[in-house]
Amino acid sequence: MKEESKGKRILMCVLGVVLYLVFVYGIECLGYISAFGWIAAIPLSAFLAAGPIMLVETRIRKPGAYILFGVLWLVLSFTTGMVWNASGPVIIIVLTAAAEIIRRALGYEKKKAYILSYLPASLFILGQYIYVWTSTDRYIEEAIAEMGGEAYGIALRGYATAGGLILVILASLALGCVGAVLSAKVLKIEANSNEVLR
């Protein structure tokens, strides 16, 4: 297989980031339909984001792919005014470190490294949504102002429980794993490939 040029690799990385943003913020539109849609966006994003992130991984065969997306989420969190306490940024940093460590430990060329290292990264969006559980009153107040209606706030509060958070995390990891496995097939990531993937 012919080696990709540096320019094409950069272009594919940019494409991956753009697709990631489109998928993640596109799925957030479910929140305008219902409070459940707002919560469901987290696991659905974990599924949809696998492809774009793994596309970037296939071009960055060394430390840095997850750092790129971790920094992206930190920037988005600060610029969108979502940083009400330290929990969100801390979660993003921890998830970024975990993903990078897993990928390095398993090997940058291994298929299982692509899939398993994506699991913590699948929860990146939780770094922004965690405020539903850590700053519930303020989050719901803003959600009501933006979405409209007390009923929306009441429904959202029903999901802002410890049990709700656990279910969201488990659903996100499960869908993230499915998304990673499917993405590995689409991107033709082999069990142990030394070639640049297309």
Side-chain angles (χ1 to χ4, degrees):
M1 188 178 293
K2 186 179 179 180
E3 184 82 2
E4 279 186 338
S5 67
K6 183 178 180 180
K8 185 174 181 180
R9 287 192 188 190
I10 293 174
L11 180 62
M12 296 305 288
C13 287
V14 171
L15 175 62
V17 171
V18 170
L19 287 175
Y20 181 83
L21 292 174
V22 169
F23 288 164
V24 170
Y25 276 91
I27 205 70
E28 278 193 350
C29 292
L30 289 174
Y32 292 94
I33 299 175
S34 69
F36 176 74
W38 194 251
I39 300 300
I42 302 173
L44 289 177
S45 293
F47 174 77
L48 291 174
I53 286 184
M54 292 175 72
L55 176 63
V56 173
E57 279 188 275
T58 59
R59 271 63 192 189
I60 302 179
R61 312 293 280 274
K62 56 186 179 180
Y66 290 116
I67 292 174
L68 171 65
F69 287 96
V71 169
L72 178 64
W73 268 112
L74 288 173
V75 171
L76 290 173
S77 294
F78 280 98
T79 57
T80 56
M82 295 299 291
V83 183
W84 298 327
N85 56 49
S87 56
V90 168
I91 287 174
I92 292 170
I93 291 170
V94 169
L95 292 174
T96 300
E100 288 284 358
I101 290 170
I102 292 172
R103 192 176 182 207
R104 179 175 177 80
L106 296 179
Y108 293 101
E109 311 298 336
K110 300 289 182 65
K111 181 178 180 178
K112 64 180 179 181
Y114 282 94
I115 295 172
L116 294 179
S117 65
Y118 174 70
L119 295 184
S122 70
L123 296 173
F124 275 151
I125 193 171
L126 188 63
Q128 184 170 7
Y129 277 70
I130 194 64
Y131 305 113
V132 172
W133 291 274
T134 60
S135 300
T136 305
D137 291 338
R138 182 170 178 178
Y139 200 103
I140 290 177
E141 181 182 328
E142 293 201 2
I144 290 175
E146 186 175 350
M147 312 299 179
E150 291 293 331
Y152 187 99
I154 293 172
L156 188 57
R157 187 178 293 279
Y159 301 118
T161 64
L165 178 58
I166 292 172
L167 286 176
V168 164
I169 291 174
L170 292 178
S172 297
L173 291 173
L175 285 178
C177 183
V178 172
V181 170
L182 292 177
S183 296
K185 290 183 179 180
V186 172
L187 293 171
K188 298 180 180 179
I189 297 175
E190 302 299 333
N192 188 6
S193 174
N194 294 315
E195 297 177 325
V196 175
L197 306 171
R198 286 182 171 77

